[in-house]
Amino acid sequence: MKKQISLLQFSLVLSASPVLLAETVSPANAVDMNPVVVTGTKSEKLLSDSPVKTEVVTREDIKANHARDVKEALEDIPGLMLKRIHGKSGYEVWLQGLDSNRVKVLIDGEPVAASTGSSVDVTQISSLDIERIEVVKGATSALYGSSAMGGVINIITRPADQGVHYEALAEGSSYGEDNPDGAAAKFAAGRLNGRISSGTSQWYSVLNLDVRTSEGFDATPGTWTTEGAEGERYSAGGRLGWTPTETQRYEIYADLYKEDLNSQTIANTGGKIIPKIKDEDADRIRLGGRFNVDSNSGQWKGSLFRESFENDTYQDIVSTADKEDHRSAEFETRRTTLEWSNLVWEEHFLTSGLEYFYESLEQFKEGVAEVDPGTDRQSIEWFIQDDLFLTDKLEVIPGIRWQHDSGFGNYVAPKLNLRQEITKAGSWNLFTRAGVGRGYRVPNLKERYYIFDHSQIGYMVQGNSDLEPESSNSLQLGFGANNGKGAYVDINFFYNDITDLIETAFSHTDSDNVAIYSYINIAEAETRGVELSAAYPLNPQWRINGGYTFLESEDKRTGLTLPNRPRHQIKAGIKYQHPEWLTELLLNGVYQSEEYTDETNSLESPDWSTLDIKLSQPVYGTFTVFGGIDNVTDTQRDFSQADRDKRPEEGRFFYLGLRVEG
């Protein structure tokens, strides 16, 4: 019976409309510690039943933590590191010691273009329309191709509701003494958003709008430079769906993101300090359509997707009337997919898919092309995966992925995952899971052609058209136990071995004394370690959870530790809910050990810890007042040693808000 349920779950979810799915999610399910996941296998499974190691952030987690964007939603995932993007105002995701260049970020399975370098800025993605986030670690899944060597972040949007439902939120926040004007008691940042959804048995629609503003923050008063960018971020989106029958669903969608940020910097030219304002403008448009059809021959699923991303930067010298050093870049991504899934011979749940991918890049400086129009790459990829139970307790998922890239030819990556139920001890179910996979990443267009100009802080990175692809071997071995009542323990050992790793290396110094770097295939590296996570409800009001990660990394050329990878990380949380007032209190803490900040292991950033306090109180039925203090300990880096100090940039942060739902 368990085998049939596990293999048929995907058929059920494809044949159900989002309206029907919304009806099945009750508040009790929303806080379930064992939610349904799909990213690791493309079939619906309980989290504890997934053979592919997966972490989940639910909608309830996002609301309880008052997360404004994906960065804040991911902060409590064990083993996941969020790092400031160098020279930019956003954050990127690292998994198991592999940096963001090797982590694939998806929204409903569609890729998000890198906003800078090869990194996706996860602060650009608002949390308003997120149902859950699924994090798959390592390169063991056959469902994802190039750029997923370190893992996958799949952001799954919220379903429409039966009838008409709405949600609105207003929030004000302060950096305290780091407010730019030094007025600690004023709101220096804010957020406004709203969502409305409606649905019938055949039609549904969703509209979202999110606005975030900030005056930035200044941790170095008395100097020209500011550390936090000032400006606005806007997100808007909508979906329209049609479900003519219980076995068909068709949907079109559009999402828009816009940001206008600026920060104060200085340039040292010939020993002379020149104050500058750095402007960053970004526009992202995502358009697409998809369908799900359940037929006698199986479940068919297809999509058409297009994303355009434009990025403009200025380095404006304050003493002049004009804006100088204007660079603009335009990226376009197109993706077409077709997938088929079916239960075969009552034992094998086969999934196969075909994908066409296209991306192009253009870059201009002062209107003159630095990367010529027509610079592009294309790929065709095919995968097949079999999900079968060899016994009632042993599930095995073999898979293989083939990729043909226009610049690098063919590559085949085999994968294998399994899950074995061990025994039942009282109310606890004990199991083990394992995965092995070959990872592969072709150099993206930015690494091959783009110019990252940070000359205002003394360096520039130039693309290299002669780069070769990276490859890796990923191993995952885990043991877990859960009691079906919200308590679980999970331990996972991991090993990632990478060859032809693409890194930046010093090339020369130009006539303006700017250090020029370039991408080259010089590195062979490995990361290995163990991740431990657990949660336990002490009673209906109190729950504790935590995670510990031990990470070792090695540059195999030198035997030294890879930079920016702390050996120890601890994350812990306590949640309390009053049974009558429904008051909700969260305490979240993070500890991170020292980390080397250079390749020679001669510079070391200090260890650090932070504590966040979050409080929510429902009032007057549909209204909820919420507030909190992030980084209560006011842990902050020394900005005079920014190259070696990797502690948090933001200091203590206060906020207060009101949410209404109906």
Side-chain angles (χ1 to χ4, degrees):
M1 176 62 69
K2 178 176 179 179
K3 175 174 69 175
Q4 299 301 324
I5 292 175
S6 177
L7 294 177
L8 286 172
Q9 279 174 326
F10 193 38
S11 173
L12 294 174
V13 72
L14 285 180
S15 63
S17 75
V19 175
L20 297 178
L21 289 175
E23 289 183 299
T24 65
V25 179
S26 66
N29 291 332
V31 297
D32 189 2
M33 296 296 294
N34 194 25
V36 172
V37 296
V38 298
T39 301
T41 63
K42 285 287 179 79
S43 57
E44 282 211 325
K45 296 180 183 294
L46 293 175
L47 178 61
S48 63
D49 289 342
S50 176
V52 180
K53 172 62 176 175
T54 306
E55 308 274 2
V56 179
V57 179
T58 67
R59 182 68 197 164
E60 186 67 20
D61 296 328
I62 291 171
K63 290 173 62 177
N65 284 284
H66 313 149
R68 300 162 187 84
D69 50 44
V70 169
K71 178 256 181 183
E72 295 184 1
L74 293 173
E75 287 179 336
D76 297 329
I77 295 288
L80 182 148
M81 291 186 290
L82 292 154
K83 292 183 174 287
R84 175 74 77 172
I85 299 174
H86 197 277
K88 294 287 186 176
S89 56
Y91 279 81
E92 60 190 20
V93 179
W94 293 34
L95 290 174
Q96 294 187 342
L98 297 181
D99 64 31
S100 61
N101 297 354
R102 296 153 189 95
V103 176
K104 198 162 195 171
V105 179
L106 310 170
I107 299 178
D108 288 330
E110 302 291 356
V112 180
S115 50
T116 182
S118 302
S119 304
V120 174
D121 179 0
V122 289
T123 67
Q124 292 183 344
I125 307 172
S126 166
S127 65
L128 174 63
D129 196 35
I130 298 175
E131 177 66 18
R132 67 184 185 275
I133 304 173
E134 299 183 5
V135 180
V136 174
K137 299 177 179 178
T140 61
S141 175
L143 305 175
Y144 308 98
S146 184
S147 301
M149 290 169 57
V152 174
I153 310 290
N154 190 17
I155 301 159
I156 298 171
T157 56
R158 298 167 65 180
D161 298 296
Q162 185 79 46
V164 177
H165 293 266
Y166 63 87
E167 178 180 333
L169 179 147
E171 177 190 303
S173 50
S174 170
Y175 293 99
E177 295 180 353
D178 285 350
N179 282 346
D181 59 3
K186 64 171 285 189
F187 286 143
R191 177 173 54 141
L192 289 171
N193 65 39
R195 181 180 191 271
I196 185 168
S197 69
S198 64
T200 68
S201 60
Q202 290 194 326
W203 292 93
Y204 64 90
S205 62
V206 178
L207 290 174
N208 305 281
L209 177 64
D210 183 85
V211 179
R212 290 172 283 162
T213 65
S214 177
E215 297 179 13
F217 66 91
D218 185 2
T220 55
T223 66
W224 169 256
T225 57
T226 57
E227 288 68 43
E230 174 189 8
E232 299 82 32
R233 300 172 185 262
Y234 305 94
S235 301
R239 301 193 301 277
L240 178 64
W242 179 43
T243 55
T245 68
E246 292 184 353
T247 60
Q248 299 179 65
R249 184 179 68 184
Y250 305 90
E251 181 179 275
I252 57 174
Y253 61 91
D255 293 291
L256 169 68
Y257 173 80
K258 183 177 180 62
E259 73 176 22
D260 182 3
L261 306 175
N262 65 76
S263 54
Q264 297 177 187
T265 65
I266 58 172
N268 190 337
T269 304
K272 183 179 180 181
I273 302 299
I274 301 177
K276 290 185 175 184
I277 294 178
K278 183 177 181 182
D279 285 341
E280 301 177 58
D281 299 331
D283 294 272
R284 186 195 305 273
I285 300 176
R286 296 168 62 88
L287 302 170
R290 45 189 166 235
F291 72 86
N292 292 341
V293 175
D294 189 2
S295 68
N296 292 332
S297 61
Q299 296 86 41
W300 293 90
K301 184 178 180 181
S303 68
L304 292 171
F305 169 75
R306 179 183 181 273
E307 180 186 69
S308 63
F309 183 79
E310 298 182 10
N311 187 210
D312 284 85
T313 61
Y314 297 87
Q315 294 181 34
D316 180 21
I317 299 175
V318 177
S319 59
T320 64
D322 299 323
K323 285 187 174 183
E324 294 86 8
D325 202 2
H326 175 212
R327 264 196 170 86
S328 63
E330 299 179 7
F331 312 93
E332 182 178 342
T333 301
R334 301 176 200 163
R335 186 171 180 259
T336 304
T337 65
L338 180 64
E339 293 181 11
W340 167 85
S341 300
N342 198 24
L343 184 64
V344 181
W345 305 311
E346 297 186 357
E347 295 179 353
H348 302 263
F349 189 67
L350 291 178
T351 303
S352 184
L354 189 65
E355 171 186 323
Y356 169 76
F357 180 81
Y358 168 89
E359 66 174 353
S360 64
L361 165 65
E362 299 177 7
Q363 184 178 5
F364 301 88
K365 181 178 181 181
E366 306 295 354
V368 178
E370 290 185 308
V371 178
D372 293 330
T375 301
D376 60 12
R377 62 171 283 260
Q378 305 175 58
S379 69
I380 298 175
E381 302 183 37
W382 170 80
F383 74 88
I384 188 168
Q385 173 185 278
D386 189 9
D387 187 349
L388 68 151
F389 279 84
L390 296 181
T391 69
D392 288 341
K393 296 184 177 181
L394 175 60
E395 182 180 7
V396 179
I397 303 183
I400 191 168
R401 191 176 189 94
W402 166 82
Q403 174 175 333
H404 176 79
D405 188 88
S406 58
F408 301 97
N410 298 312
Y411 191 84
V412 176
K415 321 275 186 173
L416 178 66
N417 291 275
L418 61 86
R419 182 185 182 279
Q420 170 74 54
E421 289 190 15
I422 300 175
T423 187
K424 184 163 184 168
S427 62
W428 289 82
N429 295 309
L430 308 180
F431 64 89
T432 182
R433 68 165 71 90
V436 58
R438 183 77 169 165
Y440 179 69
R441 187 177 82 92
V442 301
N444 60 43
L445 293 178
K446 287 187 174 182
E447 291 168 327
R448 295 164 67 187
Y449 304 108
Y450 193 63
I451 297 175
F452 306 97
D453 187 4
H454 298 304
S455 54
Q456 80 277 8
I457 53 177
Y459 78 95
M460 182 183 297
V461 182
Q462 297 178 342
N464 179 2
S465 59
D466 296 325
L467 290 172
E468 295 295 328
E470 301 174 333
S471 60
S472 72
N473 293 311
S474 179
L475 301 173
Q476 310 284 325
L477 175 62
F479 301 90
N482 67 82
N483 68 355
K485 300 177 182 178
Y488 72 87
V489 177
D490 194 291
I491 184 170
N492 185 66
F493 299 89
F494 63 87
Y495 175 79
N496 297 289
D497 183 26
I498 309 172
T499 58
D500 293 323
L501 186 69
I502 297 171
E503 293 284 353
T504 55
F506 177 76
S507 174
H508 63 280
T509 301
D510 69 8
S511 57
D512 294 324
N513 202 34
V514 174
I516 306 300
Y517 292 79
S518 180
Y519 290 99
I520 55 177
N521 295 99
I522 60 171
E524 294 188 9
E526 64 180 44
T527 68
R528 55 190 177 270
V530 59
E531 300 164 325
L532 173 66
S533 59
Y536 189 77
L538 301 174
N539 54 46
Q541 290 78 47
W542 291 91
R543 178 172 67 86
I544 57 174
N545 64 276
Y548 166 73
T549 302
F550 174 76
L551 170 66
E552 286 188 333
S553 61
E554 181 182 347
D555 183 335
K556 297 173 73 172
R557 299 167 300 157
T558 64
L560 298 176
T561 299
L562 295 170
N564 304 314
R565 292 161 173 87
R567 176 165 289 196
H568 305 283
Q569 183 193 72
I570 299 173
K571 296 184 178 182
I574 301 174
K575 182 177 181 180
Y576 168 78
Q577 186 175 57
H578 193 280
E580 297 179 3
W581 302 343
L582 300 182
T583 305
E584 194 169 78
L585 173 67
L586 271 74
L587 301 176
N588 294 325
V590 177
Y591 168 80
Q592 196 160 288
S593 66
E594 303 88 347
E595 58 188 278
Y596 292 115
T597 60
D598 67 324
E599 293 183 354
T600 62
N601 293 176
S602 59
L603 299 176
E604 192 173 56
S605 178
D607 65 338
W608 56 270
S609 59
T610 61
L611 175 67
D612 298 343
I613 300 176
K614 302 174 184 295
L615 183 68
S616 302
Q617 177 62 61
V619 293
Y620 303 114
T622 61
F623 290 86
T624 299
V625 176
F626 65 90
I629 307 174
D630 291 343
N631 194 0
V632 174
T633 55
D634 201 22
T635 301
Q636 198 168 23
R637 70 181 55 178
D638 180 355
F639 287 97
S640 67
Q641 302 184 54
D643 289 339
R644 61 162 295 178
D645 194 337
K646 301 301 180 182
R647 288 176 294 178
E649 289 197 3
E650 295 89 346
R652 192 177 293 119
F653 182 73
F654 308 84
Y655 63 93
L656 180 65
L658 177 68
R659 181 175 60 244
V660 58
E661 299 176 86

